[in-house]
Every structure is written in C-alpha cells, then in structure tokens.
C-alpha cells in the first residue's frame, strides 16, 4: 500500500479499513527476499487486467491468481525460481498452473475454503493435540503437498516444492514458559 494525500488520483485509491493509512494506492510487487523489486503494477480497480493477455486456464484463476501469473511471466529463469505468496492470491489450481505451464515452484499460505477436496484435520482437534501436531496430504500425480500445522493457531501451507518432511526444530515463544522454546 502506498500512502497518497493528494486529490488528483483519488479515483485509484483503495479504502482499506484495517490498514493504518486507510486511503492509499494498492501496488502488486514481485520482489526478491532481499527486497529488490523486479516487477510491479498498480491496482486500477475494474481496468486492472484490460491490457493483459491471459489463456483460458489463467483467466479462470480469479483476480488474485491473475495477479500472480502476470508477475510471474517476467521471471527470467523460472526453473530456478520459487514464488511465495499469501492466501489472498491463491488456489491449488494456481500452484498447478505455475508448476506445469511455467515450471515455477511455489509455496503459499492457504485459506481452508480454498483447498477443494483436500480434507485435513479440523483446527480444533489439531490444537487440542499439541503445538507440534500437523496433518498433511500429498498428491504425487499433480506434485502438490498441503500441510496444516498447529502453532498458537493453525497455519495451512500448500506447495509444489516442499512437503511435511524433513521435520526440523524451530524456536517459538511459549506463553506458559515466557521464553522461546524448541518446537518441531
């Protein structure tokens, strides 16, 4: 989000009630982990995709999927690339398309309602077990893994490049012990 206090381009501004600056421009960006920006475009409401060409498969992905596809088309070495994005942009179809059509690996957080028929354990039962519990499903034919991990809340990840193993230990803050503890 880019803060703008002027009035000339007010029609392009977005109202985001949960953001600190309620009125601003929305920018979609493809950047490296270091923060270097490689590609970007401005959200322009209903005209956002007017000058972009999509195949039928890409067009069916919805707005978030089309944003990711458009930004990924400019990746110079797709086989060596992994794209990370959050749950607003994603679907399992997008991960499959990136893998099959562009040879791009991806990893994203996911909303439970976008998992199609991938039935993972319910959040409540995972959280009751323990903080290190998880459930996963892998489709080797398509090459996608979906993992739900119980931390303080459940986090669901879908990927075409990694799965649930190897399991490693990470440091997470424990309210009970009031310090960081090792969690698998």
């Amino acid at each position: 989000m880019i803060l703008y206090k002027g009035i000339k381009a007010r029609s392009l501004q977005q109202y985001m009630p949960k953001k600190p600056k309620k009125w601003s421009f929305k920018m979609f960006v493809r950047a490296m982990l270091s923060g270097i920006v490689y590609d970007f475009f401005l959200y322009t409401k209903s005209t956002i995709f007017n000058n972009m060409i999509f195949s039928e498969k890409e067009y069916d992905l919805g707005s978030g999927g089309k944003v990711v596809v458009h930004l990924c088309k400019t990746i110079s070495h797709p086989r060596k690339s992994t794209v990370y994005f959050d749950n607003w942009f994603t679907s399992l179809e997008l991960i499959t398309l990136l893998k099959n059509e562009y040879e791009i690996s991806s990893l994203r957080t996911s909303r439970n309602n976008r998992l199609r028929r991938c039935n993972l354990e319910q959040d409540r039962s995972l959280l009751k077990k323990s903080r290190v519990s998880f459930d996963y499903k892998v489709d080797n034919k398509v090459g996608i893994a979906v993992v739900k991990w119980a931390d303080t809340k459940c986090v669901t990840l879908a990927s075409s490049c990694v799965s649930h193993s190897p399991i490693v230990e990470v440091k997470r803050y424990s309210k009970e012990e009031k310090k960081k503890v090792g969690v698998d």
Side-chain angles (χ1 to χ4, degrees):
M1 301 300 292
I2 300 170
L3 178 62
Y4 177 71
K5 293 183 180 183
I7 56 173
K8 296 252 183 208
R10 182 136 337 241
S11 65
L12 295 176
Q13 286 185 311
Q14 293 291 297
Y15 178 68
M16 304 293 281
K18 294 183 180 179
K19 298 286 184 185
K21 306 296 182 193
K22 307 287 185 230
W23 286 95
S24 50
F25 292 119
K26 185 185 286 189
M27 183 75 70
F28 295 112
V29 179
R30 181 174 58 85
M32 266 186 74
L33 293 173
S34 64
I36 296 172
V37 173
Y38 284 98
D39 198 1
F40 66 91
F41 66 97
L42 182 67
Y43 178 74
T44 56
K45 297 186 180 177
S46 61
T47 61
I48 185 172
F49 300 116
N50 282 1
N51 298 324
M52 300 176 194
I53 299 170
F54 295 102
S55 70
E56 190 174 321
K57 288 180 185 177
E58 295 167 348
Y59 192 77
D60 293 338
L61 294 173
S63 297
K66 287 192 275 189
V67 166
V68 172
V69 167
H70 179 70
L71 290 171
C72 286
K73 285 182 178 180
T74 59
I75 293 176
S76 56
H77 301 291
R79 287 184 180 170
K80 297 179 182 178
S81 301
T82 302
V83 179
Y84 303 90
F85 43 95
D86 72 14
N87 63 34
W88 185 81
F89 296 97
T90 193
S91 66
L92 295 177
E93 291 82 7
L94 174 60
I95 291 177
T96 304
L97 182 110
L98 289 175
K99 182 177 191 259
N100 296 338
E101 302 292 323
Y102 296 101
E103 298 179 330
I104 297 172
S105 299
S106 60
L107 179 104
R108 50 87 171 184
T109 57
S110 179
R111 296 178 184 180
N112 290 333
N113 63 348
R114 294 193 183 175
L115 295 176
R116 303 291 181 240
R117 293 176 301 274
C118 182
N119 298 321
L120 295 171
E121 197 169 338
Q122 294 295 318
D123 290 4
R124 184 175 287 162
S125 62
L126 258 181
L127 290 168
K128 280 183 182 178
K129 286 182 181 178
S130 73
R131 191 171 186 179
V132 298
S133 59
F134 66 92
D135 189 19
Y136 69 95
K137 299 284 191 248
V138 177
D139 185 341
N140 289 321
K141 186 176 179 183
V142 179
I144 293 178
V146 179
V147 179
K148 185 185 280 189
W149 173 54
D151 191 23
T152 51
K153 292 182 180 179
C154 285
V155 178
T156 306
L157 301 170
S159 176
S160 63
C161 56
V162 295
S163 184
H164 68 288
S165 63
I167 297 171
V168 296
E169 186 176 282
V170 294
K171 296 289 184 184
R172 301 291 294 150
Y173 186 77
S174 170
K175 286 183 182 179
E176 295 82 27
E177 298 181 36
K178 297 191 184 337
K179 65 178 184 175
K180 286 193 174 188
V181 296
V183 174
D184 287 339

